[in-house]
Amino acid sequence: MRLHFVFVTHYRKRVLNTEMLNRLKEMVEQVSNKMGCQLIEFNGESDHIHILLDFHPRNSIAAVVGSLKSSSARMLKKEFPVEVEKHYWGKVSFWSNSYYVASCGGAPIEVLKKYIRAPSKFLEIAILPHPALRSGGDCRSNRSSLIQKSPQRFLAFGLFW
């Protein structure tokens, strides 16, 4: 199973430089190999990284994320103290507590690699009214009165290919 992960720096600070990204790639590859996963693609910008892993099903997603985030944060703080301390001091975590993960089983691997290499050129986001909500009704009316009271009801989706 292939999984696409995105980790964002804490407070979305623009901390990562080219040297840090290169070292992160090495670290992600080491940690994922130890967990029985294989790094397929890696890329990042100054405030986030993309990881495409061939994920071994014996692992839990949370365990892999925890290992990747904790080991990479320790390594970055140790090997790049000046760069990290410009943005974070004390016991502030390097990575945001949240993360993005999606299964990529149906997409061709080359398409995923192209997206990770250049996401801003490849991904289009469309925000359209959800068909079930156009008439003012609610497809989950028995579950949520908040949606019924909301005047703007939208569904966001990404077009990957």
Side-chain angles (χ1 to χ4, degrees):
M1 171 171 40
R2 294 182 195 115
L3 295 178
H4 175 205
F5 295 93
V6 179
F7 300 160
V8 178
T9 58
H10 204 77
Y11 304 124
R12 200 78 193 221
K13 298 273 188 171
R14 298 185 177 274
V15 182
L16 301 170
N17 59 35
T18 305
E19 187 180 354
M20 294 168 86
L21 286 169
N22 290 334
R23 183 65 179 108
L24 265 171
K25 181 178 181 179
E26 294 171 11
M27 176 61 88
V28 168
E29 193 161 25
Q30 290 173 359
V31 172
S32 57
N33 287 341
K34 285 182 184 176
M35 299 195 78
C37 301
Q38 181 184 1
L39 180 65
I40 299 171
E41 193 66 45
F42 178 93
N43 201 355
E45 295 182 20
S46 60
D47 60 354
H48 70 280
I49 61 172
H50 292 265
I51 302 166
L52 181 61
L53 283 182
D54 193 0
F55 184 78
H56 196 283
R58 76 167 176 245
N59 296 320
S60 75
I61 293 172
V64 171
V65 168
S67 294
L68 289 172
K69 284 176 124 181
S70 63
S71 60
S72 61
R74 273 193 311 275
M75 179 272 302
L76 288 171
K77 288 179 179 182
K78 183 178 178 182
E79 294 183 16
F80 302 94
V82 175
E83 292 89 341
V84 173
E85 288 172 2
K86 285 179 187 174
H87 301 278
Y88 306 116
W89 51 91
K91 294 189 176 186
V92 175
S93 61
F94 186 84
W95 298 113
S96 168
N97 292 335
S98 60
Y99 59 89
Y100 168 84
V101 62
S103 172
C104 307
I109 191 70
E110 289 307 315
V111 172
L112 297 170
K113 285 182 177 182
K114 285 179 187 176
Y115 169 70
I116 289 175
R117 288 181 194 136
S120 60
K121 296 177 183 176
F122 200 76
L123 180 69
E124 297 178 20
I125 298 293
I127 300 179
L128 301 171
H130 188 281
L133 302 177
R134 284 187 187 139
S135 64
D138 181 7
C139 59
R140 296 175 287 167
S141 59
N142 58 347
R143 292 180 53 202
S144 173
S145 61
L146 180 63
I147 295 175
Q148 290 176 349
K149 295 176 186 174
S150 173
Q152 300 293 327
R153 299 180 194 134
F154 295 98
L155 174 69
F157 61 92
L159 302 174
F160 289 96
W161 55 84

